[in-house]
């Protein structure tokens, strides 16, 4: 509906010169009000104010909505008060609030009290609301409701299935970035992000023993796995806030040649779903699954290229993804946009009197201008304008950004993000290498390193998932390592042997393996430089291959089946 025409028609019914301006607000679920229209008699609509969200005083009597309430502008303090005041400097006006229905609020800016006439005009000419008013309210609140739903969903998923949790976050972040690279609108970018977060939620209803089966699935078991895309319809049935994204998520296993789960072909598959399909395959190949080890980055690129060449996946999207890899995986992300999703567990750090304080929270709502964080345990005593660091773990990556604290509303704390950073210490490359480790128990780490250098006995086998200068992510079959354990890692890269003492900083149960992050390395400077040397060599090697777009025929052989 054209809300400007709505207000223009309303003013014709009242016809009083004492009305300087009239606003129409829509109520949002977070307590704010969104300006649908701002109209000045004789001048028309003020489009610069449309869409602005403000917090209004709690002075509306919902029990008698047509009656309204009158206040003097001088008695109302609000950062946005200038929007509702007279255009003349210093002139006091009256503000008359009328709530014609629980979803809408009218605010009249008056030079004198004519509320009796307004009430009479409204009484003689009842306001008629469009039949789709509720749909409009749903649409305007969709982002808020989605963020609140995702806050709960992501938190729950992390505790139930760590692999699906991290996979969903990675797919959503990469898909949104590719949608941006392809020039999709912000609305469609958000749709890709939301669909990416929920695309595998149906797997929570598939028997876990099937999902974690180390061998090939039977035909009946594979049919059970395929069912997860249809379960989304049942999970979100009747949820008008999420339903628009369900079809996009449901089609993430479709192939252009019709060989996907649902048999859709080419133009039947939304572009957003085609983006998800490429990102889903890329992430599944690049990470361990119960039935196979992860592909190398080169092997992953090879398989994607083949799938594009034989007409299963969109080749343009594959090229966009290959263009994204150098920035996404192989560079420090300096100055890049920080991807934040509702429900993400974050750490907010502040420096106070020379000491660092850390507070654990979760992202609530995230927008271009501000991000909401809720703190379930300790609330940080922040002051408006104070600078902090916000960081979170995305699998083995640590994303960190400078931010400024804005304000607090109940349990919701507002921050303004500046830019993303990924410091040298957290720069880490995906790199699968054979690795051996030994738990230090009560031995001194340096003594243990010397012993292993001469006689490497008692070592246990694992594999690296990623290698960085100050931490290494490895996949361990069992739960033998716990946070705080001191360990020694032994591996080779480019013919160089490394023996690295460190401490376990994080352990995640993926169901089929335990992702274990080891950091706090105790290495002399020359060993640190040597480690960074092989990491940079690997980085340059991958970058060269990506820049050359190496043909699939000369890339390494595949290591297993294409993921389901």
């Amino acid at each position: 509906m054209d809300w400007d025409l709505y207000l223009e028609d309303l003013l014709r019914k009242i016809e009083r010169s004492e009305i300087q301006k009239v606003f129409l607000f829509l109520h949002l679920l977070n307590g704010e009000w969104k300006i649908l229209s701002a109209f000045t008699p004789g001048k028309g609509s003020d489009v610069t104010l449309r869409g602005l969200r403000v917090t209004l005083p709690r002075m509306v009597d919902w029990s008698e909505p047509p009656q309204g309430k009158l206040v003097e502008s001088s008695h109302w303090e609000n950062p946005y008060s200038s929007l509702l005041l007279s255009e003349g400097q210093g002139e006091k006006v009256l503000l008359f609030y009328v709530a014609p229905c629980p979803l809408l609020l009218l605010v009249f800016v008056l030079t004198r009290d004519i509320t009796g006439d307004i009430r009479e005009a409204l009484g003689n000419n009842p306001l008629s609301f469009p039949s789709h008013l509720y749909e409009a309210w749903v649409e305007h609140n969709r982002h808020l409701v989605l963020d609140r739903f995702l806050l709960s969903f992501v938190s729950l998923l992390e505790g139930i299935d760590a692999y699906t949790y991290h996979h969903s976050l990675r797919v959503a972040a990469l898909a949104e970035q590719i949608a941006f690279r392809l020039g999709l609108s912000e609305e469609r970018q958000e749709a890709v992000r939301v669909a990416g977060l929920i695309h595998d939620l149906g797997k929570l209803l598939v028997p876990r023993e099937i999902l974690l089966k180390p061998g090939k699935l039977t035909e009946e078991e594979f049919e059970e796995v395929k069912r997860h895309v249809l379960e989304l319809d049942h999970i979100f049935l009747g949820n008008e806030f999420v339903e628009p994204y369900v079809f996009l998520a449901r089609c993430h296993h479709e192939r252009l040649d019709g060989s996907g789960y649902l048999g859709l072909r080419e133009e039947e598959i939304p572009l957003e779903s085609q983006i998800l399909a490429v990102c889903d395959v890329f992430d599944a190949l690049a990470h361990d699954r119960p039935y196979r080890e992860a592909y190398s980055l080169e092997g992953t690129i090879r398989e994607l290229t083949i799938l594009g060449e034989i007409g299963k996946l969109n080749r343009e999207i594959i090229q966009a993804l290959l263009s994204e890899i150098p920035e996404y995986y192989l560079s420090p992300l300096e100055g890049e946009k920080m991807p934040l999703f509702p429900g993400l567990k974050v750490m907010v750090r502040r420096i106070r009197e020379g000491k660092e304080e850390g507070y654990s929270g979760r992202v609530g709502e995230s927008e271009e201008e501000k991000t909401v964080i809720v703190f379930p345990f300790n609330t940080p005593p922040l002051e408006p304008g104070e600078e902090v660091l916000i960081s979170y773990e995305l699998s083995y990556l640590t994303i960190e950004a400078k931010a400024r604290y804005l304000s607090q509303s109940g349990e919701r704390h507002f921050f303004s993000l500046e830019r993303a950073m990924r410091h040298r210490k957290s720069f880490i490359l995906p790199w699968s290498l054979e690795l051996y480790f030994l738990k230090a128990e009560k031995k001194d780490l340096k003594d243990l390193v010397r012993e292993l250098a001469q006689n490497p006995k008692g070592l246990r086998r694992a594999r690296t998932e990623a290698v960085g200068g100050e931490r290494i992510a490895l996949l361990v079959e069992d739960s033998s390592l716990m946070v705080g354990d001191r360990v020694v890692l032994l591996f080779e890269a480019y013919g160089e042997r490394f023996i690295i003492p460190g401490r376990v900083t994080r352990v995640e149960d993926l169901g089929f393996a335990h992702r274990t992050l080891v950091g706090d390395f105790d290495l002399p400077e020359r060993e640190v430089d040597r480690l960074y040397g092989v990491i940079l060599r690997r980085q340059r090697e991958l970058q060269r291959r990506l820049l050359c777009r190496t043909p699939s025929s000369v890339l390494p052989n595949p290591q297993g089946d294409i993921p389901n």
Side-chain angles (χ1 to χ4, degrees):
M1 177 179 180
D2 191 330
W3 300 108
D4 294 336
L5 292 177
Y6 180 81
L7 288 187
E8 188 176 14
D9 180 61
L10 175 62
L11 289 173
R12 276 200 301 267
K13 293 177 181 178
I14 300 176
E15 291 185 346
R16 291 299 299 262
S17 61
E18 291 85 353
I19 299 177
Q20 288 195 343
K21 207 178 195 77
V22 61
F23 293 85
L24 180 63
F25 291 93
L26 181 73
H27 187 234
L28 301 180
L29 288 173
N30 65 349
E32 295 180 325
W33 295 83
K34 185 174 185 178
I35 298 179
L36 296 178
S37 179
F39 204 89
T40 303
K43 294 185 179 180
S45 174
D46 188 345
V47 295
T48 61
L49 299 178
R50 190 181 304 156
L52 188 66
R53 287 160 47 168
V54 301
T55 302
L56 297 175
R58 299 181 181 276
M59 52 180 58
V60 179
D61 183 3
W62 296 106
S63 62
E64 297 182 1
Q67 299 303 312
K69 186 166 184 176
L70 183 71
V71 296
E72 292 185 12
S73 61
S74 58
H75 295 159
W76 185 55
E77 296 181 1
N78 189 283
Y80 298 100
S81 60
S82 59
L83 299 175
L84 306 180
L85 302 185
S86 168
E87 295 177 0
Q89 293 293 326
E91 183 178 349
K92 294 181 180 180
V93 294
L94 299 174
L95 304 175
F96 182 51
Y97 294 79
V98 183
C101 79
L103 302 183
L104 295 176
L105 180 67
L106 287 166
V107 178
F108 293 86
V109 182
L110 309 173
T111 56
R112 68 183 184 89
D113 184 359
I114 58 165
T115 54
D117 295 334
I118 295 177
R119 289 192 180 100
E120 182 180 354
L122 293 175
N124 294 333
N125 299 280
L127 298 179
S128 58
F129 302 106
S131 59
H132 61 272
L133 175 59
Y134 175 72
E135 287 76 9
W137 178 80
V138 168
E139 188 59 38
H140 284 284
N141 279 283
R142 186 182 305 280
H143 183 77
L144 290 171
V145 173
L146 272 175
D147 282 354
R148 291 187 178 188
F149 159 75
L150 292 172
L151 168 61
S152 302
F153 154 65
V154 173
S155 304
L156 179 65
L157 184 59
E158 182 184 19
I160 296 177
D161 187 341
Y163 175 84
T164 302
Y165 166 76
H166 285 288
H167 170 70
S168 300
L169 292 181
R170 292 190 302 259
V171 168
L174 187 56
E176 183 179 27
Q177 192 61 31
I178 291 175
F180 170 77
R181 186 178 282 271
L182 292 174
L184 272 64
S185 66
E186 290 187 4
E187 182 179 358
R188 296 181 75 183
Q189 291 175 42
E190 181 188 36
V192 168
R193 172 176 64 86
V194 175
L197 288 173
I198 68 172
H199 80 283
D200 268 349
L201 184 57
K203 284 187 175 179
L204 296 179
L205 302 179
V206 176
R208 194 163 176 78
E209 60 270 19
I210 294 178
L211 294 177
L212 298 179
K213 184 177 178 179
K216 186 176 180 179
L217 299 179
T218 65
E219 187 174 329
E220 292 77 14
E221 290 170 337
F222 185 51
E223 289 299 318
E224 278 289 308
V225 172
K226 289 169 62 176
R227 184 170 56 85
H228 81 273
V229 298
L230 299 176
E231 292 292 354
L232 290 171
D233 292 309
H234 302 123
I235 293 172
F236 296 110
L237 182 65
N239 187 329
E240 60 263 66
F241 294 100
V242 184
E243 276 183 344
Y245 309 103
V246 170
F247 181 70
L248 303 180
R250 189 200 311 152
C251 297
H252 75 275
H253 275 292
E254 298 311 291
R255 300 294 181 255
L256 299 179
D257 62 358
S259 62
Y261 285 7
L262 305 178
L264 301 182
R265 305 177 66 92
E266 297 186 351
E267 67 279 354
E268 297 175 312
I269 309 170
L271 181 60
E272 292 88 342
S273 300
Q274 295 182 39
I275 293 173
L276 287 178
V278 171
C279 294
D280 184 60
V281 170
F282 172 82
D283 190 81
L285 288 170
H287 293 84
D288 278 62
R289 305 300 295 271
Y291 51 88
R292 61 153 175 80
E293 295 180 354
Y295 283 53
S296 66
L297 197 53
E298 298 95 325
T300 300
I301 294 169
R302 175 186 184 277
E303 291 299 331
L304 275 179
T305 303
I306 291 175
L307 290 172
E309 289 173 351
I310 64 177
K312 289 187 177 293
L313 295 177
N314 187 309
R315 297 179 69 174
E316 181 184 0
I317 295 172
I318 291 173
Q319 289 304 311
L321 184 143
L322 296 183
S323 299
E324 192 66 29
I325 289 176
E327 293 181 12
Y328 199 78
Y329 284 97
L330 308 179
S331 69
L333 294 178
E334 187 71 28
E336 292 292 319
K337 179 183 176 183
M338 182 181 189
L340 279 180
F341 301 131
L344 270 179
K345 186 184 295 182
V346 297
M347 180 65 68
V348 176
R349 292 183 173 86
R350 67 195 294 244
I351 303 297
R352 202 69 171 175
E353 297 178 354
K355 294 182 180 180
E356 182 179 271
E357 300 175 358
Y359 299 87
S360 178
R362 287 192 182 271
V363 177
E365 302 141 27
S366 183
E367 299 178 353
E368 193 69 29
E369 305 85 7
K370 60 187 177 182
T371 295
V372 173
I373 296 179
V374 294
F375 297 92
F377 305 111
N378 297 329
T379 301
L382 298 172
E383 299 176 1
E386 183 175 345
E387 190 176 273
V388 298
L389 284 177
I390 297 177
S391 64
Y392 67 88
E393 306 286 339
L394 187 60
S395 295
Y396 49 76
L397 297 174
T398 294
I399 311 297
E400 190 175 70
K402 288 182 179 179
R404 197 168 297 279
Y405 180 63
L406 300 176
S407 61
Q408 176 184 358
S409 176
E411 296 180 350
R412 300 158 67 242
H413 296 256
F414 295 86
F415 295 83
S416 173
L417 295 180
E418 292 188 5
R419 61 187 181 124
M421 302 173 294
R422 194 164 62 172
H423 293 305
R424 184 189 186 202
K425 69 178 181 180
S426 57
F427 178 43
I428 186 168
L429 290 176
W431 198 358
S432 180
L433 297 168
E434 188 174 74
L435 173 143
Y436 295 89
F437 71 91
L438 185 63
K439 196 171 176 180
E441 301 296 350
K442 296 182 179 180
K443 287 188 176 182
D444 181 80
L445 280 178
K446 292 182 179 179
D447 292 339
L448 188 57
V449 168
R450 284 192 289 269
E451 289 178 21
L452 290 176
Q454 298 173 2
N455 186 19
K457 287 186 176 180
L459 296 172
R460 298 194 55 193
R461 184 180 179 275
R463 284 190 313 105
T464 64
E465 186 180 30
V467 179
E470 291 195 15
R471 64 176 181 170
I472 293 174
L474 52 144
L475 294 172
V476 182
E477 290 184 355
D478 56 28
S479 57
S480 57
L481 293 180
M482 301 176 62
V483 173
D485 284 347
R486 297 176 308 133
V487 294
V488 175
L489 309 179
L490 189 151
F491 65 94
E492 290 188 2
Y494 295 116
E496 295 193 47
R497 188 185 191 192
F498 294 90
I499 301 178
I500 300 177
R503 184 178 64 86
V504 176
T505 59
R506 183 155 59 95
V507 177
E508 293 172 339
D509 184 359
L510 302 180
F512 55 89
H514 289 75
R515 175 182 290 125
T516 305
L517 270 72
V518 177
D520 295 341
F521 297 161
D522 185 11
L523 290 173
E525 188 64 30
R526 62 183 179 82
E527 286 297 294
V528 173
D529 291 340
R530 198 163 66 91
L531 179 58
Y532 272 111
V534 296
I535 292 172
L536 293 174
R537 180 176 173 181
R538 174 62 174 164
Q539 179 193 35
R540 287 192 296 268
E541 180 182 62
L542 290 172
Q543 287 174 334
R544 279 198 305 271
R545 292 186 176 182
L546 286 166
L547 289 173
C548 294
R549 295 289 190 273
T550 309
S552 60
S553 58
V554 299
L555 281 168
N557 289 328
Q559 303 173 32
D561 298 327
I562 299 300
N564 296 317

